[in-house]
Amino acid sequence: MLIICINSLFMPIASSQDLYHEPHRPQIHFSPKEKWINDPNGMVYLNGVYHLFFQHYPDSSKWGPMHWGHAVSKDLIHWQQLPIALYPDSLGYIFSGSAVADKNNTSGLGIKGQIPLVAIFTSHDPNKKAEKSIGRENQSIAYSLDNGNTWVKYAANPVLKNPGITDFRDPKVMWYEPGKKWIMTLATKDRVTFYSSPNLKEWKKESDFGNDAGAHGGVWECPDLFPLDYNGKKIWVLIANINPGGPNKGSATQYFLGNFDGHQFTASSTNTKWIDYGPDDYAGITWSNTGDRKIFIGWMSNWMYANEVPTEKWRNALTIPRELKIKAIGKELFVVSEPVKELSGIATNPVAIEKLSIAKNMDLSKKIKDIQIPCRITISMEKTSDFSFTLSNDMQEEIKIGYDKSSNHYYIDRTKSGKTNFNKEFAAVHTAPRFTSNAKMDITLVIDLSSVELFADNGLTVMTSVFFPNKPYQQITVQSPGNLLLNKLEYTSLKSIWP
Ligand code: FRU
């Protein structure tokens, strides 16, 4: 008896319910300690620290009065959750938005020697919503003079009043150097509207874009606007999240490429392109103040079922941060995304197998000792062929990720992935086109306890999908109808980011 007591005093037996180690808890992705999360907000880099704010309801695991939760990281992978940054106030809930480092103190909110961080967000008035009043969404600001630790709301909020548009939200602000002014890209129902300001306090409408471009199966939300370098040329990327109306139903992130002249965005093509074709990457935008590097993070869920996914202590998580670049396929330009290089910082037990031939079905544990999830698997093949990876447990639950040559589609099949009946839309096969006709194929899978992210053709086609097996998947097999020859397969375990 005594021994048991001493043991439990000095060597607490880790229970599956320990914080951050509950069933389904993402081990390499950010999720809040507890309760609800949706969009990532206000991401800004300052003094070696990546700030991440997020739509958060600290009183429930379902969506409710929105606050901005706050977390910080030095490497985009390990996160420390800090106290809530912004609480609802008399103007309403704190909806999505962005943050900037106001280096020139254009706002006048700074003090000597301290760059003010300024957050620009939507004040959403729930009472006006109940009265069906149109003007319920207005833009407000708050500032921090201690590197993001504490925030003060600006006394004269809102700084941009609703002109009579019901959906008028999610300001993403950037400094436009040629015009020496701030540009706000705002989601305004079926389009985005650009505003400019010298000081983040007074805003003037410049133009709008999109009512006749791209996908319109739902309302536009959470936009972003930024340039990327392509062979020394500036290509402007305009992100417009949309819900519903995504390529696999529900929420998704579309983008346009073109030019921005300080007043207007002109798209080089109005075809719809998607940052991620999977069902579970929404409301993604990029960090500000990261120089030429553009880092994107999305909410790893979908409004179709986000409130019902089978976790209780916390609900939902964010994707792996991804670096965005431009790539040409023939004459057409695309945004490609790949996991940030910092992910390699948690990679252990690397195994590389050259010239691996797979006939029908191969259990990876036959080749790789101690295979485990979370992990990252990268394969390359000289000749495109059908293949699939299956993650499974001994309850016959599985998720399948693969490529089908006849339809030229990547797919993720989660119809038998475990708990699926919490929402009728969840159990489905999701597909995404392959955009290159290159015979060579490269695939990276980032696998966590309840999600998989597929980066195909160096990030040209991306798919993110969540899943909830009744027992963790512990087996990884590779299938191919013919004889699959992999030029190389690389495996690495990924260490949990939580204590
Ligand atoms: C997108 C969104 C935003 C809004 C926020 C509210 O997921 O609907 O448009 O600001 O969530 O939580």
Side-chain angles (χ1 to χ4, degrees):
M1 200 52 197
L2 182 66
I3 295 172
I4 293 170
C5 284
I6 290 173
N7 267 348
S8 56
L9 263 180
F10 293 104
M11 285 167 36
I13 297 161
S15 109
S16 61
Q17 299 297 328
D18 281 352
L19 183 64
Y20 291 121
H21 297 281
E22 308 88 344
H24 305 308
R25 175 72 93 162
Q27 292 301 302
I28 57 163
H29 291 86
F30 178 77
S31 59
K33 256 187 200 142
E34 49 178 24
K35 310 302 182 194
W36 171 266
I37 180 174
N38 58 295
D39 316 355
N41 293 150
M43 294 99 78
V44 60
Y45 180 68
L46 186 69
N47 298 334
V49 176
Y50 293 94
H51 290 268
L52 167 67
F53 301 87
F54 53 93
Q55 290 286 280
H56 186 40
Y57 184 26
D59 297 330
S60 164
S61 312
K62 289 199 190 252
W63 189 89
M66 284 291 112
H67 300 53
W68 272 25
H70 188 194
V72 285
S73 172
K74 291 199 163 151
D75 64 359
L76 292 161
I77 301 293
H78 296 88
W79 294 98
Q80 186 196 351
Q81 192 170 335
L82 299 179
I84 286 173
L86 297 172
Y87 284 82
D89 56 31
S90 61
L91 295 175
Y93 300 166
I94 314 296
F95 267 22
S96 287
S98 50
V100 294
D102 182 13
K103 290 178 191 162
N104 302 326
N105 195 23
T106 61
S107 61
L109 296 168
I111 45 170
K112 207 160 171 253
Q114 182 69 45
I115 294 177
L117 281 178
V118 180
I120 310 96
F121 55 88
T122 300
S123 298
H124 173 98
D125 187 337
N127 302 323
K128 287 202 181 136
K129 178 163 184 179
E131 295 159 10
K132 296 216 164 28
S133 147
I134 313 179
R136 63 191 180 230
E137 292 181 344
N138 297 279
Q139 316 318 317
S140 297
I141 62 175
Y143 57 98
S144 170
L145 299 175
D146 57 4
N147 298 315
N149 278 336
T150 57
W151 291 81
V152 182
K153 301 224 181 84
Y154 179 54
N157 277 339
V159 292
L160 173 57
K161 287 214 175 107
N162 192 306
I165 303 171
T166 342
D167 297 288
F168 187 72
R169 58 176 176 266
D170 309 340
K172 179 70 163 62
V173 173
M174 57 157 288
W175 178 249
Y176 184 73
E177 181 60 29
K180 302 256 183 289
K181 59 183 180 181
W182 298 99
I183 294 290
M184 176 196 293
T185 308
L186 193 68
T188 49
K189 198 172 182 171
D190 59 350
R191 64 194 73 186
V192 298
T193 304
F194 302 106
Y195 291 84
S196 66
S197 170
N199 55 14
L200 297 164
K201 294 169 174 167
E202 293 144 71
W203 293 93
K204 173 180 130 212
K205 182 175 167 178
E206 294 283 351
S207 63
D208 56 32
F209 169 84
N211 66 314
D212 53 1
H216 282 280
V219 70
W220 285 22
E221 299 183 316
C222 301
D224 197 353
L225 174 74
F226 52 89
L228 282 180
D229 176 83
Y230 177 66
N231 292 342
K233 207 176 145 209
K234 232 181 213 186
I235 307 286
W236 284 83
V237 182
L238 175 64
I239 285 181
N241 283 275
I242 176 173
N243 177 57
N248 278 295
K249 284 199 182 170
S251 329
T253 308
Q254 65 178 324
Y255 70 91
F256 303 89
L257 297 177
N259 187 39
F260 183 73
D261 64 3
H263 306 282
Q264 241 177 340
F265 178 81
T266 324
S268 41
S269 149
T270 50
N271 291 345
T272 312
K273 291 190 165 106
W274 304 95
I275 290 278
D276 187 317
Y277 281 81
D280 297 304
D281 176 8
Y282 189 56
I285 49 168
T286 61
W287 258 271
S288 66
N289 205 29
T290 52
D292 289 341
R293 204 176 167 207
K294 267 295 161 194
I295 307 159
F296 169 99
I297 192 167
W299 177 43
M300 201 153 57
S301 196
N302 191 312
W303 279 117
M304 288 194 294
Y305 44 71
N307 274 289
E308 295 151 39
V309 293
T311 63
E312 302 255 307
K313 180 151 179 85
W314 82 101
R315 198 174 260 127
N316 302 310
L318 302 184
T319 65
I320 282 293
R322 303 161 182 187
E323 183 156 356
L324 304 183
K325 292 192 176 144
I326 300 279
K327 186 174 172 171
I329 298 298
K331 285 203 173 116
E332 202 168 356
L333 299 184
F334 291 85
V335 171
V336 292
S337 359
E338 291 201 279
V340 291
K341 60 177 189 311
E342 287 85 346
L343 183 63
S344 296
I346 55 169
T348 55
N349 309 324
V351 178
I353 308 169
E354 311 258 343
K355 306 274 179 264
L356 180 64
S357 136
I358 295 160
K360 296 243 152 41
N361 203 339
M362 196 190 78
D363 180 347
L364 271 193
S365 68
K366 299 256 151 48
K367 296 276 168 193
I368 301 167
K369 238 180 50 198
D370 299 331
I371 203 150
Q372 51 177 276
I373 293 174
C375 66
R376 181 178 63 197
I377 298 174
T378 303
I379 58 168
S380 62
M381 55 187 106
E382 290 296 319
K383 218 173 128 250
T384 310
S385 21
D386 283 14
F387 74 85
S388 57
F389 277 83
T390 303
L391 320 179
S392 59
N393 61 20
D394 59 12
M395 296 176 74
Q396 276 74 54
E397 295 173 347
E398 59 173 46
I399 184 158
K400 213 182 250 300
I401 307 115
Y403 172 70
D404 174 57
K405 202 171 170 177
S406 64
S407 60
N408 198 29
H409 272 143
Y410 294 100
Y411 62 88
I412 300 183
D413 178 348
R414 64 177 179 195
T415 51
K416 298 194 255 331
S417 58
K419 297 171 191 155
T420 59
N421 63 5
F422 51 88
N423 183 292
K424 68 176 182 4
E425 300 291 351
F426 191 79
V429 184
H430 301 110
T431 61
R434 182 175 198 236
F435 293 105
T436 169
S437 50
N438 199 337
K440 284 191 182 170
M441 190 179 249
D442 291 280
I443 306 287
T444 295
L445 298 179
V446 176
I447 306 169
D448 200 343
L449 293 193
S450 56
S451 66
V452 61
E453 289 158 280
L454 161 79
F455 300 89
D457 306 305
N458 302 311
L460 195 55
T461 299
V462 179
M463 294 185 84
T464 303
S465 181
V466 299
F467 49 78
F468 303 94
N470 284 294
K471 258 171 98 177
Y473 296 143
Q474 73 284 62
Q475 199 180 37
I476 305 181
T477 54
V478 192
Q479 298 78 33
S480 171
N483 201 6
L484 176 67
L485 182 66
L486 296 184
N487 209 25
K488 198 170 188 184
L489 182 148
E490 289 175 275
Y491 163 92
T492 169
S493 307
L494 296 171
K495 267 188 297 194
S496 173
I497 62 170
W498 303 119

